[in-house]
Amino acid sequence: MQSRSAEAIVVGGGLVGAAIACGLRDRGLDTLLLDEGDVAFRASRGNFGLVWVQSKGLGAPWYQLWTRGSAREWPGLAADLAARTGLDPALQQPGGVHLCLGEAEFEDRAARMARMKEEAGNHGFDYRMIRADELGGMLPGLGPAVVGASWSPYDGHASPLLLLRALHRAFTDAGGAYIPNATVTGGTAAPNDFRVETPAGAFAAPRIVLAAGLGNAALAPRFGLSAPVRPQRGQILVTERARSILPMPTTTIRQTAEGTIMLGDSMEEVGFDLRQSPPVMAEIAKRAVLSFPWIAELDIVRAWSALRVMAPDGLPIYDQSERFPGAFTANCHSGVTLAGAHARLLAPMIARGALDPVLAPFSARRFEGSRAA
Ligand SMILES: Cc1cc2nc3c(=O)[nH]c(=O)nc-3n(C[C@H](O)[C@H](O)[C@H](O)COP(=O)(O)OP(=O)(O)OC[C@H]3O[C@@H](n4cnc5c(N)ncnc54)[C@H](O)[C@@H]3O)c2cc1C
């Protein structure tokens, strides 16, 4: 058991916590990253790996801008991590498409994308609706069920596992302390004075960032914050390796740098149930084969399910405690996409001691009215 103090504590060593911890350490803060043991739910190890912009923020243009800002930060983050750690997160940002199977899907998608452009106003929103004949020249082997797609230049993908490992290594190489088996079970909060208890010891700091994924729901109220996140299950299938064939990712099908093809991913409201479900897996495979019939020739070599970290409105939660200055929360269901923003935009704000007004719409205070209702 150890007892230790530092300038900042980050609770949660998934993609969100690791990106923020890395950013804080890079700004010179003596930082502890406290992480639960292997019993944890870890979205960061079970996700699809998209760095995805085009569908984010309908009705919430501030989220679209934040996501796009993150996509802009990603090349710098990836290059920095590769140079510092030798671990390249395999970022590719060739643009991406959302395939539409049938006219109804195409019309619906066209309407959504038009609304996104309208809401983006002066910031602009670059996209095109593309019909199947043109799309066939961009993505080989499309099935006849695909009538078209939305395309945007902002989208891409990366290896989420390499990203997570690189963030952890960059953090510890820079002098940050990663403490595993350190589930925060209790503690006290006072302005700029936080003490937490864990099975690995007791830790104190004037600044604390709650980035514990689904664990934030229970932790946040202890620190004058709220994080009403729930699990949402997603299932993913992975094929054997194939020759390099897909030049860009789609929302549910992407070829990894190693050549496997990932097929995903469902959205299931089943609480903390992590079991896989054959009917859902069959539906994922069916849609993939309708999109690219040649996928039926490939063997599925892996499949899993994982739990997303979802706020009631699906948007991230970034907050700072009014009661206990120095306490922050960070939650999102796009921790790969937002890694650039978390390491390079959010962490500097936390290091300065306050979130910029641009993040005000992401405060969990937006749910207070609906809870009362
Ligand atoms: C199927 C699926 C597909 C997805 N696809 C994409 C995608 O394509 N692109 C994208 O951007 N995002 C995607 N996501 C979302 C992305 O994976 C998550 O946004 C991200 O992993 C969340 O990271 P996190 O660090 O908040 O949570 P987690 O990865 O869950 O990490 C939380 C950490 O906190 C720790 N913890 C919990 N409680 C405590 C405590 N009390 N004390 C100490 N530590 C604690 C846990 O041990 C864990 O390590 C997907 C998610 C799923 C499930």
Side-chain angles (χ1 to χ4, degrees):
M1 291 280 279
Q2 50 183 317
S3 171
R4 205 163 153 178
S5 57
E7 289 171 301
I9 290 172
V10 177
V11 184
L15 281 170
V16 175
I20 294 170
C22 212
L24 292 178
R25 182 62 214 144
D26 285 351
R27 264 128 210 107
L29 264 71
D30 179 20
T31 304
L32 305 174
L33 181 55
L34 307 182
D35 204 10
E36 201 175 355
D38 276 343
V39 292
F41 294 106
R42 286 178 170 133
S44 301
R45 293 198 171 89
N47 69 70
F48 198 62
L50 292 177
V51 177
W52 205 251
V53 175
Q54 67 165 281
S55 47
K56 302 283 172 58
L58 187 62
W62 54 93
Y63 180 32
Q64 164 65 207
L65 285 182
W66 180 244
T67 304
R68 222 189 300 168
S70 190
R72 272 197 303 273
E73 294 295 334
W74 243 103
L77 174 68
D80 183 46
L81 290 174
R84 287 165 61 176
T85 67
L87 296 166
D88 183 345
L91 173 70
Q92 292 179 48
Q93 290 176 301
V97 295
H98 175 88
L99 300 179
C100 302
L101 306 185
E103 281 303 322
E105 282 188 18
F106 189 85
E107 294 310 322
D108 181 58
R109 188 70 181 177
R112 289 173 69 89
M113 297 297 274
R115 274 174 56 206
M116 296 224 20
K117 187 172 177 80
E118 197 183 317
E119 288 176 4
N122 290 340
H123 295 287
F125 177 68
D126 203 359
Y127 82 98
R128 278 198 314 127
M129 294 305 297
I130 299 177
R131 282 292 181 180
D133 45 356
E134 184 185 346
L135 196 60
M138 297 161 67
L139 287 169
L142 278 176
V146 179
V147 302
S150 59
W151 167 89
S152 110
Y154 310 119
D155 301 313
H157 55 151
S159 162
L161 296 180
L162 282 170
L163 169 65
L164 184 61
R165 216 168 125 212
L167 287 168
H168 274 260
R169 189 175 291 173
F171 173 67
T172 49
D173 283 357
Y178 174 72
I179 303 175
N181 303 314
T183 309
V184 174
T185 50
T188 59
N192 297 114
D193 181 7
F194 303 98
R195 288 150 206 271
V196 296
E197 286 144 28
T198 81
F203 303 94
R207 205 162 284 160
I208 191 164
V209 184
L210 306 178
L214 292 165
N216 264 11
L219 280 178
R222 292 172 185 265
F223 299 91
L225 289 155
S226 113
V229 287
R230 69 171 197 284
Q232 185 193 64
R233 189 170 71 189
Q235 298 184 57
I236 291 175
L237 314 181
V238 184
T239 73
E240 63 184 311
R241 292 180 189 202
R243 72 183 166 85
S244 176
I245 184 166
L246 289 180
M248 68 174 69
T250 82
T251 331
T252 56
I253 302 167
R254 77 177 189 95
Q255 187 165 29
T256 65
E258 296 80 24
T260 60
I261 298 182
M262 293 181 71
L263 317 176
D265 54 342
S266 54
M267 295 176 187
E268 304 162 70
E269 300 295 340
V270 292
F272 284 87
D273 182 351
L274 256 179
R275 284 174 301 181
Q276 291 168 267
S277 120
V280 174
M281 294 161 80
E283 192 54 40
I284 291 171
K286 185 174 145 200
R287 195 172 167 99
V289 170
L290 282 171
S291 303
F292 297 101
W294 49 266
I295 285 181
E297 306 294 320
L298 299 170
D299 284 340
I300 300 293
V301 295
R302 276 191 297 285
W304 64 79
S305 71
L307 300 177
R308 290 188 191 80
V309 182
M310 291 297 278
D313 58 3
L315 269 56
I317 298 174
Y318 304 116
D319 224 337
Q320 52 199 344
S321 176
E322 285 176 353
R323 198 163 146 222
F324 305 120
F328 300 85
T329 45
N331 275 122
C332 71
H333 78 86
S334 289
V336 183
T337 307
L338 294 175
H342 292 160
R344 296 160 78 96
L345 303 175
L346 177 62
M349 297 178 203
I350 294 172
R352 286 194 297 271
L355 302 184
D356 287 1
V358 69
L359 292 187
F362 294 105
S363 164
R365 283 184 283 277
R366 70 189 188 266
F367 304 119
E368 278 168 12
S370 52
R371 269 209 305 278

